[in-house]
Amino acid sequence: MPTPRLRLLLQLALLVPFWAGGALLSSGLHLPVPGGVVGLGLLLAALAVGLVRVEWLADGAEWLFRHMLLFFIPAAVGVVDYPELFGREGLRAVAAIAISTALAMAATGAAVEWVSRRRGARA
């Protein structure tokens, strides 16, 4: 039985092949979608067919969600370094951020609702 820390590292390491595979597919097929998004699709497919079980990734995914804000620091620093770019394109950037945030929240809510109904139907 691995320690909790080792289990976390193993679960995070299990995500790497999906990310790397997605990056390879995205660049190899010249897809207009980032490799990380393709990797998420691969992971979703693996979960759907039962190749990967949720409990194999639960702790690692929870840890990533808990520390997600740290991953946005480089982007925020980049914006601060180029104020002229943000001033020129600021309104469009704010609109894109607001719309994409609203879409992400709506999609997440719909997914949670769908999973809750599905689990309720099984119980």
Side-chain angles (χ1 to χ4, degrees):
M1 184 89 173
T3 64
R5 208 170 266 198
L6 179 60
R7 185 175 59 231
L8 175 67
L9 288 175
L10 290 172
Q11 289 185 1
L12 292 173
L14 184 59
L15 293 173
V16 171
F18 290 100
W19 169 78
L24 284 173
L25 276 176
S26 180
S27 68
L29 299 175
H30 304 289
L31 298 175
V33 180
V37 175
V38 175
L40 281 175
L42 293 174
L43 177 60
L44 179 63
L47 285 166
V49 299
L51 189 63
V52 175
R53 301 173 83 185
V54 171
E55 57 266 18
W56 295 354
L57 299 169
D59 292 338
E62 185 178 319
W63 183 86
L64 286 172
F65 279 125
R66 240 189 345 247
H67 296 44
M68 185 178 284
L69 282 179
L70 294 175
F71 301 122
F72 291 104
I73 289 175
V77 170
V79 168
V80 171
D81 278 347
Y82 299 100
E84 69 280 354
L85 178 67
F86 200 62
R88 217 178 13 196
E89 302 288 335
L91 189 58
R92 290 172 46 180
V94 168
I97 291 169
I99 291 169
S100 62
T101 300
L103 289 174
M105 291 173 69
T108 302
V112 168
E113 185 75 24
W114 179 75
V115 169
S116 295
R117 284 186 187 159
R118 191 170 170 184
R119 284 187 177 170
R122 285 186 186 169

